């Protein structure tokens, strides 16, 4: 099945001893083609392997969220996390990818439904001829571009599942997820990664603190507001009733899976290997931010609650990871520690903040993905090293003044307003048509028996 | 330890300003060798990383099957899944690889015991001189070929463990597995992937719907028939007593692991990177089939049983994955959705079908691997796109008429008859010599205490 | 964002038809640079992906150790395994990497704090100019070198967590781990991998049977001695009271994760792809040793205890893996089976050996990492194939006499004496300043409630 390889080379060498001029030119052409083919192959392998790691994050979300819910809602949350990958895959294939990366206007793409249309990938730059110009900076086959972006899209939807856990109908969540991945996520993604207006403005988000994480958070916040808190959470006068998760090994496993998956998420967002130093740099900043997030959240939880809290530390790792996602390529390792540490700190405060406002977020997804997604995007506005950013954008502390920071803030606000508003409308439509919240007795029984007729741990 | 690299290049450049003709030829030779070396290195990295993902599937089988069994048989099923990797590794190293890929006749290989013998891999095609000609189309070192094929072989054996779960002796299963991987699996594998008679016929199975999955299923079916159903399963008059698994997070984790591992199984079966578009295409068809399997099995289970059933959806993902394994490289993305969706549908019917025949398959392995393995192989006969297949084989719906479909059917029948018959004989021999089924009181107590003297979850 | 690629090549071809001599030289230079860049990119991708797999081992340790402890100490052990990655990341970034790989003397490095200083990686060999000369044999960016070595360093610390489980204060362990990774681990690592005195002597340890595993074991042994056994373990007259773990699926999952991770640990220690045959060879020896360890430990446990013991078999796999870590690149596949099988045998004996001496090692970490780490290092002295080793070192059974074996023994003793002594002092300092062992009532209650105020499996 393979045509080129060592054999071809050996055979090719036979013809080398002819006249120098033209043979040399032919030979150089052939060699350069081989080298170019190899580059495409290597870039494709890297992007796909990184995409596999991002896919794996869905297992991490499933385990983390299942562990942080009660046993009686375990199947329900597992099923949402498993099913959302499926629904997202189909939605992004049909239309999401086209809206996000298809040629169109500065607001959304208008070409490329079903990932079809003219395309001569892996040709790059001006040599690229096709309907997905926004991705012409990466020299990989179209299907590799689609696969990598698909696993990102599904991540945004998965984040929502944690916010609405333990009280939402299975089908309501699935329908929302389909539309989120088909329409809402790709439109704002087009603004930033698809050559839209925020990209033109100079807004930067390397791997998706805003595009993926805060968007998942905004959509989830809208869901929480429409759904209301779980029964019993805020009913005791003047205080919050903790509802502990049921399985800490699952939570920890989920944390490890997500940390691992982020090595695909951030370094893989290079979508190529032309700058291996950058890939390694991102792996290091990503890891240091996660590490700092663990340490600061452990210390903060010990100070705030008297005991080092494992679930807070797992969320601290994720907080650091979410926060470093936008800046990972553009800041120094030392700054990545700062960003991760601060994220680990604010995630603890944020949990209390939301609880005080009776915004019931069972797994802390808002604190992790929304709050730290915003923080990370703005932190890039503070710490961007001009030598590392495209166009030389500089953070406030790196000589850039407020100019770049303001662009980052505009992006945060615009994406937030768009996503939250559309999500709120969508949730209300779903609620009106098929309902959204399970009956109180079903919520009391648990969604596993009520919605799925099974228990997660039958005798 | 490393000899070649940027340093070598820089040093090499010093000698470039000599006379054009001969120096150019020398230089071109050197560069072409470097490029060829790089290609081998990249292909090796890709195949090994894909192999690691396939290895990881064993963890997926272990978690899935443990979750679908009762708590009292957890250690027994975990141990079988863990041990079978070990036994398979030794069996395939000693003789399996030689029977499957060694030079020989159209029925089995006769050379290459202990993965030894003449071999100048990574030389390819006609330049390859050695005893493993069937794999001369891939330009990677022999040990990489062996490693990748080994993790496939072990998969076939692992499938069996689910079929015979909760009632078989540990050692009986291990002995069967050894012979399966040493003899039965490699012989039929030789027919298809080792240059044997089915390969010559034009039968196609890109990554093993038949070679791996249906073979595991046939071997398991033979085991079920010899063993009989679990106590209590079919004893109530006129109805089937469901025996639910004990741990749904394990089932879901297993499902995610397997889905991830399939990105090694299918795309990795390119065994090289000469066609990166093909690798990406396979990643996409694989994922879409799994996604469609989840959705169709959820809808089907909701329709058949009244509730969306998570374990059915996990099996639906696997059904889609098994079915797309043969055709993944040869069909379009849209068709992969069709194939996956239909697999997710028939896996639900199949579970009922086997139960009605009192064929007790505790984890649904027959429905997933046997039924969908057959379906996927035949589906390739329906949907193969001639531009994508070697030799231009075309499916029934792609202008090929019945010719190719009939070849696929011949392969299905031949492999099925061979594997089932030999497995049946082997199980009966095992039963006669060391016994096969645990005592009723041990089955009642659970295999964990009876066979291993431990509990999975001691207090 | 990407500059080079197929486009650049196609553009570059336009200038090819000029006069042969100088144009050829220019062109050859450009092509050779492209090839060199590709090699760096491929090497970086391989080392990072291998590093991700090693990172993943931390999830394996967490699951394995949690499963082998009692439910009441689950959070405590999970938290230690999760937190130690964070603490190690910071410690190794600040000083560990500098002590281990920075230029200095034969005892430790003195340059490169915070992974900073002169460095022109990926330049190699004599072309390398910088403060990390010990790693100039690998042509990857500095941050890739750091990342890969970091995940190794954290592994050593994680091993300790198993030894001291179920009775140590969280903060005492974390402080010990910080110093272990900051100071103790890198100093002995400098001796062997940093160009220090053992490297100059000719001691070989390909991937760390000694550097990582036995060091983790020695540090853990010191901790066990200072801590004493768990309450109830050796209090019954004349016999050992077994304290079974609480969750065998976690143990098995951990075993699979570690086995998978080892495919990064050992093959990745090539830190490049210049010899793809070697990478594949190592993948095979690693897998065969693990397989043999499973089989021999199963048989041994069946013989010793009457029943095949799953936890012993998981430890048997790890024993084989630890033992093959030093020799994986330097021995034949057949010998790797021998080494793995013997490791699986001695791990069973060793568990009894330590229990008889009242050395309470809850998860068997000493038997796996210390005993088999020593064994593997010495086994290399027996079985090293001179054609495979740098400098042609030959094992006792391969014509080398005792010369090389004695060097290996010197390394084992020196590293053991150094690590054990410093660890003992460090543990005693930690004990004196902040205490080390939890109160008896807290130990009885369980560390989860006592130290972290939570239960792993709340109702």
């Amino acid at each position: 099945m393979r045509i080129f390889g060592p054999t071809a080379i050996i055979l090719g060498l036979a013809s080398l001893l002819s006249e120098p001029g033209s043979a040399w030119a032919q030979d150089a052409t052939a060699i350069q083609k081989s080298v170019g083919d190899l580059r495409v192959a290597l870039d494709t392998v890297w992007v796909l392997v990184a995409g596999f790691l991002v896919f794996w994050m869905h297992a991490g979300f499933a385990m983390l969220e299942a562990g942080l819910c009660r046993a009686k809602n375990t199947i329900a949350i597992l099923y949402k996390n498993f099913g959302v990958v499926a629904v997202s895959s189909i939605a992004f294939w049909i239309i999401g990818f086209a809206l996000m990366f298809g040629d169109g206007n500065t607001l959304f793409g208008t070409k490329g439904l079903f990932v079809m249309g003219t395309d001569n990938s892996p040709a790059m730059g001006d040599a690229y001829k096709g309907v997905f110009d926004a991705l012409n900076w990466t020299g990989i086959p179209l299907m590799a571009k689609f696969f990598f972006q698909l696993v990102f899209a599904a991540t945004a939807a998965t984040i929502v599942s944690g916010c609405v856990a333990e009280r939402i109908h299975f089908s309501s969540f699935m329908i929302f997820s389909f539309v989120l991945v088909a329409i809402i996520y790709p439109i704002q993604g087009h603004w930033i990664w698809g050559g839209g207006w925020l990209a033109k403005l100079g807004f930067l988000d390397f791997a998706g603190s805003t595009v993926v994480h805060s968007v998942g958070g905004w959509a989830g916040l809208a869901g929480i507001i429409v759904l209301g808190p779980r029964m019993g959470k805020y009913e005791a006068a003047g205080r919050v009733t903790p509802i502990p998760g049921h399985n800490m090994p699952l939570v920890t496993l989920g944390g490890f899976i997500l940390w691992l998956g982020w090595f695909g998420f951030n370094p893989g967002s290079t979508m190529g290997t032309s700058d291996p130093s950058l890939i390694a740099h991102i792996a290091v900043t990503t890891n240091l931010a996660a590490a700092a997030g663990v340490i600061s959240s452990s210390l903060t939880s010990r100070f705030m609650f008297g005991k080092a809290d494992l679930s807070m530390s797992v969320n601290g790792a994720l907080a650091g990871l979410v926060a470093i996602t936008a800046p990972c390529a553009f800041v120094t390792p030392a700054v990545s520690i700062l960003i991760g540490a601060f994220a680990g700190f604010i995630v603890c405060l944020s949990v209390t903040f939301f609880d005080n406002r009776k915004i019931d977020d069972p797994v802390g997804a808002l604190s992790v993905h929304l709050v730290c997604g915003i923080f990370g995007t703005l932190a890039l506005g503070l710490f961007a090293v001009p030598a590392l950013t495209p166009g030389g954008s500089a953070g406030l502390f790196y000589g850039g003044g407020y100019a770049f920071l303001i662009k980052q803030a505009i992006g945060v606000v615009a994406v937030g307003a768009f996503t939250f508003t559309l999500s709120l409308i969508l949730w209300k439509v779903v609620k009106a048509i098929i309902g959204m919240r399970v009956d109180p007795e079903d919520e009391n029984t648990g969604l596993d028996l009520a919605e799925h007729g099974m228990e997660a741990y039958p005798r």
Side-chain angles (χ1 to χ4, degrees), chain A:
Chain A
M1 222 158 285
R2 298 182 64 251
I3 318 163
F4 176 79
T7 312
I9 289 169
I10 292 157
L11 296 174
L13 294 183
S15 65
L16 281 184
L17 296 170
S18 44
E19 87 267 59
S22 66
W24 151 67
Q26 284 170 26
D27 213 62
T29 309
I31 295 176
Q32 283 179 320
K33 171 144 186 357
S34 299
V35 173
D37 287 349
L38 260 174
R39 172 63 71 176
V40 172
L42 173 58
D43 286 4
T44 305
V45 166
W46 165 240
V47 174
L48 288 178
V49 169
F52 302 157
L53 288 171
V54 179
F55 171 85
W56 184 226
M57 291 172 71
H58 295 292
F61 281 109
M63 295 302 115
L64 180 84
E65 296 179 14
L68 289 172
C69 290
R70 285 163 291 180
K72 65 183 177 182
N73 298 316
T74 302
I75 287 175
I77 192 72
L78 290 168
Y79 210 160
K80 288 184 187 94
N81 279 283
F82 196 76
V84 81
V85 184
V87 163
S88 301
S89 294
I90 304 297
F92 204 67
W93 178 73
I94 295 175
I95 181 167
F97 188 74
L99 283 175
M100 189 153 169
F101 295 106
D103 292 351
N105 50 53
T106 61
L107 291 176
F108 51 87
T110 56
K111 293 181 181 166
L113 287 177
F114 299 97
V115 199
M116 291 196 292
T118 317
D119 182 90
N120 70 340
S121 301
M124 293 175 69
D126 294 339
Y128 174 78
K129 303 295 172 201
V131 299
F132 304 104
D133 273 296
L135 287 174
N136 75 7
W137 57 272
T138 165
I140 56 176
L142 178 60
M143 283 297 151
K145 296 175 187 175
F146 168 65
F147 182 82
F148 190 72
Q149 292 300 333
L150 158 66
V151 286
F152 270 62
T155 303
T158 293
I159 291 166
V160 180
S161 65
C163 298
V164 298
E166 304 205 293
R167 57 211 191 277
I168 196 170
H169 279 303
F170 178 67
S171 48
S172 309
F173 171 75
M174 285 299 162
I175 290 166
F176 179 86
S177 297
F178 187 91
V179 182
L180 179 69
V181 175
I183 312 281
I184 302 174
Y185 170 83
I187 289 178
Q188 59 83 31
H190 185 82
W191 300 353
I192 297 167
W193 290 347
W197 69 275
L198 279 170
K200 289 184 206 302
L201 178 73
F203 176 84
L204 290 179
D205 181 1
F206 186 76
S209 289
T210 287
V211 176
V212 180
H213 294 281
S214 79
V215 162
W218 288 116
L221 178 61
I224 292 174
I225 289 171
V226 176
L227 266 178
R230 288 169 293 174
M231 287 164 60
K233 178 77 179 175
Y234 304 118
E235 284 152 25
R239 63 184 186 80
V240 175
T241 309
I243 302 180
H246 83 286
N247 192 316
M248 291 306 292
L250 290 185
V251 172
T252 310
L253 178 63
F256 271 118
I257 291 173
L258 286 164
W259 193 336
L260 173 66
W262 239 284
F263 292 128
F265 208 90
N266 287 1
S269 288
T270 53
M271 292 189 76
T273 64
S274 63
D275 189 349
S277 290
L278 179 65
I279 298 176
H281 176 92
I282 297 170
V284 168
T285 54
T286 299
N287 189 64
L288 287 175
V294 172
I295 294 171
S296 74
S297 59
S298 293
L299 295 174
T300 306
S301 69
R302 186 155 191 169
F303 182 78
M304 284 175 69
F305 316 124
K307 308 253 183 183
D309 179 327
L310 174 57
S311 60
M312 208 53 101
S313 286
V314 172
N315 271 340
L318 304 184
L321 289 163
V322 168
I324 204 64
T325 295
C328 58
F330 307 136
V331 298
T332 65
V335 165
S336 73
I337 292 178
L338 248 176
I339 290 175
F342 197 72
F345 171 66
I346 57 174
V347 81
C348 297
L349 302 189
S350 172
V351 165
T352 306
F353 171 89
F354 285 117
D355 264 344
N356 287 343
R357 271 140 202 85
K358 302 196 176 178
I359 293 170
D360 183 17
D361 174 23
V363 307
L366 293 184
S367 300
V368 167
H369 298 280
L370 175 57
V371 173
C372 294
I374 292 171
F375 164 64
T377 308
L378 297 177
L380 177 54
L382 300 175
F383 296 108
V385 180
L388 300 175
T389 53
S393 298
L396 178 63
F397 301 143
Y398 282 78
Y402 288 95
F404 178 52
L405 179 59
I406 289 169
K407 290 174 186 177
Q408 295 297 96
I410 291 171
V412 164
V413 171
V415 169
F418 170 80
T419 307
F420 181 75
T421 308
L422 256 73
S423 296
L424 202 63
I425 294 170
L426 177 56
W427 281 124
K428 292 197 169 184
V429 169
V430 168
K431 186 177 180 178
I433 297 178
I434 64 162
M436 193 158 161
R437 184 157 183 156
V438 299
D439 294 337
E441 55 269 46
D442 285 355
E443 188 174 339
N444 202 41
T445 307
L447 275 61
D448 291 3
L449 278 172
E451 294 248 306
H452 303 288
M454 289 173 69
E455 286 179 288
Y457 309 99
R459 294 288 114 186

